[in-house]
Amino acid sequence: MRATRATRALAGLFQAQPEVAFSESELETALATAGAPVNKVTVYRMLDRFAAAGLLHKQVDAARVTRYALAPRGKEGAAPRFECDDCHRQFRLSQGSAKVQTALKQVLQALATAGHESLAVDIAVRGRCAGCAHPSAGAAA
């Protein structure tokens, strides 16, 4: 992958907000704001390359929008996430992660034992984020 200005800007966006899952349109806007404007096709190509390299995790939210987040590293594995029903932002859930990882490994092992291959687990908890549920509290913070 070439280290173009747009590629570096894209990597910087994910590093600056590692817990956030971005849509293509959010990233296109953020790249333009960061001084690296690119068109939609270029953004999708970069996202596909980052995902193929294992740097990003691709998921579809409840509104059927594809979102991209930093891929879990090392022992972290598949991270459960919270998705806001109002604003559709996503956040990784870190509390209880070890227990969730143990349960996920057991599920994957049971499926593998049954002969299934290329298994992946994606867990999403949905509700309203603090900013949408309590907008006045977010403005005061």
Side-chain angles (χ1 to χ4, degrees):
M1 190 174 332
R2 292 182 345 176
T4 65
R5 181 175 56 187
T7 304
R8 289 189 307 270
L10 183 67
L13 291 171
F14 284 102
Q15 290 173 346
Q17 298 181 63
E19 299 298 318
V20 178
F22 296 97
S23 69
E24 181 281 330
S25 62
E26 291 168 338
L27 289 167
E28 188 177 347
T29 301
L31 287 170
T33 302
V38 291
N39 64 39
K40 180 183 289 195
V41 173
T42 302
V43 175
Y44 275 118
R45 285 182 182 152
M46 288 189 308
L47 291 170
D48 285 343
R49 287 181 186 133
F50 274 58
L55 301 172
L56 295 180
H57 176 72
K58 179 178 173 180
Q59 64 222 12
V60 179
D61 69 14
R64 303 191 75 168
V65 173
T66 302
R67 295 191 171 272
Y68 299 83
L70 280 179
R73 293 281 174 226
K75 295 182 181 181
E76 188 178 339
R81 66 188 187 286
F82 175 85
E83 179 184 335
C84 179
D85 289 332
D86 290 351
C87 67
H88 299 289
R89 287 186 305 158
Q90 295 185 8
F91 310 91
R92 280 201 183 122
L93 299 175
S94 57
Q95 288 183 322
S97 184
K99 290 180 182 180
V100 170
Q101 291 302 319
T102 299
L104 291 177
K105 286 177 186 173
Q106 291 173 346
V107 168
L108 291 172
Q109 181 59 43
L111 291 168
T113 301
H116 303 292
E117 297 178 1
S118 299
L119 302 169
V121 176
D122 192 19
I123 296 176
V125 177
R126 293 185 173 86
R128 292 178 72 207
C129 71
C132 291
H134 310 286
S136 60

